[in-house]
Amino acid sequence: METLKIATKLGKLLTYMGANGFEIEEVTEPDKISQLVAQLDKPYLTPMSSPDHNDFTENNVICLVAKKNGKPAMMGCARLEDIGEEPVGRYWSRVFARAYATKANEQIIGETHPKIEISLQRKLVYFGDLFVAQKTRGNRLPLRAFVAIGHLAAALKWDPDWIYCFIRERDILLGASAMYGFNRDFGPAFKWLGDPPHPRDHSEQLVAVDRLDIQMMTERTALAVEQSTSPYTINSEKFKIA
């Protein structure tokens, strides 16, 4: 994506967020991520985004927080996974074993679906642990704008081939993947070899957006905030993005 186009979209989205009382900040010290989770009353931080399970640096992670009235209202973490030519399934088998295994050499997940192995290659960004504070829920557009800012920040910093996450099927059917800017639903990426560790779920599906479509999806969000005259709402059901 061209830097000027990214900056233009970011400007529109940040202006909208500011007009609605949100201040966007990047958490640059990894040890403060856990503190942010506690301030949001988030019930968990997955190992995928936890500084306790990753060697985060300023070069491989972006953790964004939206504050309202000085208090955290939304958060989301993106991490760079530059796997080169390694098959994504082999990479995931190590990542999930390190995150969730309870004994040595334990395999957590089965084979990755072939269509995903073919598609998801090279420079990936995992975007997870999206959470909205209870008092902030109800207005859908600021959340959509916040996630789009995350996509643009990742694109500006890393120029990835894909940004992806895992979302439960129930939330996908409620429109979560579209709201979060993911336009490719690959279905289940793999099977858990046992009961999924909390908070994972058998119904999770891999959703993603590639380099070319990041621009299109964020442009749609920027246009939506420009055209908005009053917020539209959704019920208080919480979407989970693992």
Side-chain angles (χ1 to χ4, degrees), residues 31 35 48-50 61 77 80 85 87 92 94 101 115 123 137 160 168 176 178 183 185 188 199 201 213 225 234 239:
D31 60 344
Q35 298 175 22
M48 310 288 280
S49 302
S50 171
V61 68
C77 293
L80 176 66
E85 299 302 317
W92 279 338
R94 295 198 311 276
K115 68 180 178 181
K123 192 183 294 185
R137 297 172 196 167
R168 295 176 304 177
N183 65 340
D185 183 353
D201 190 283
D213 285 344
V225 301
I234 191 169
F239 288 146

Side-chain angles (χ1 to χ4, degrees), residues 26-37 45-64 75-82 91 95 98-99 124-129 157-158 164 242:
E26 181 177 359
V27 180
T28 56
E29 298 178 45
D31 60 344
K32 291 186 177 180
I33 296 176
S34 297
Q35 298 175 22
L36 174 60
V37 171
L45 182 64
T46 68
M48 310 288 280
S49 302
S50 171
D52 295 333
H53 292 81
N54 300 273
D55 293 323
F56 286 145
T57 71
E58 63 179 15
N59 293 323
N60 66 9
V61 68
I62 298 172
C63 183
L64 294 179
M75 73 164 287
C77 293
R79 75 175 199 178
L80 176 66
E81 300 176 332
D82 194 347
Y91 167 75
V95 169
R98 183 174 63 244
L124 312 178
V125 169
Y126 173 77
F127 193 175
D129 278 281
K157 188 167 188 173
W158 297 312
Y164 76 96

Side-chain angles (χ1 to χ4, degrees), residues 24-199:
I24 310 300
E25 297 179 3
E26 181 177 359
V27 180
T28 56
E29 298 178 45
D31 60 344
K32 291 186 177 180
I33 296 176
S34 297
Q35 298 175 22
L36 174 60
V37 171
Q39 291 174 326
L40 276 163
D41 291 326
K42 190 178 189 298
Y44 62 83
L45 182 64
T46 68
M48 310 288 280
S49 302
S50 171
D52 295 333
H53 292 81
N54 300 273
D55 293 323
F56 286 145
T57 71
E58 63 179 15
N59 293 323
N60 66 9
V61 68
I62 298 172
C63 183
L64 294 179
V65 56
K67 292 184 176 181
K68 194 164 190 177
N69 299 321
K71 297 182 179 180
M74 308 178 196
M75 73 164 287
C77 293
R79 75 175 199 178
L80 176 66
E81 300 176 332
D82 194 347
I83 65 174
E85 299 302 317
E86 180 179 13
V88 68
R90 191 170 69 187
Y91 167 75
W92 279 338
S93 67
R94 295 198 311 276
V95 169
F96 281 90
R98 183 174 63 244
Y100 298 114
T102 58
K103 55 186 177 182
N105 300 318
E106 181 182 12
Q107 292 297 307
I108 303 297
I109 61 174
E111 292 184 358
T112 298
H113 196 287
K115 68 180 178 181
I116 295 173
E117 292 276 23
I118 294 171
S119 298
L120 264 66
Q121 298 180 0
R122 295 177 294 276
K123 192 183 294 185
L124 312 178
V125 169
Y126 173 77
F127 193 175
D129 278 281
L130 182 65
F131 189 80
V132 182
Q134 184 69 44
K135 293 182 179 179
T136 310
R137 297 172 196 167
N139 189 348
R140 191 171 183 172
L141 195 51
L143 174 57
R144 185 180 172 190
F146 176 70
V147 177
I149 289 169
H151 282 303
L152 290 171
L156 186 63
K157 188 167 188 173
W158 297 312
D159 189 26
D161 293 285
W162 291 90
I163 301 177
Y164 76 96
C165 71
F166 301 98
I167 302 180
R168 295 176 304 177
E169 183 180 43
R170 182 184 70 182
D171 293 339
I172 289 175
L173 294 175
L174 290 171
S177 54
M179 185 172 68
Y180 297 151
F182 296 102
N183 65 340
R184 293 286 300 278
D185 183 353
F186 285 94
F190 45 72
K191 290 184 178 180
W192 296 95
L193 297 180
D195 292 333
H198 178 76

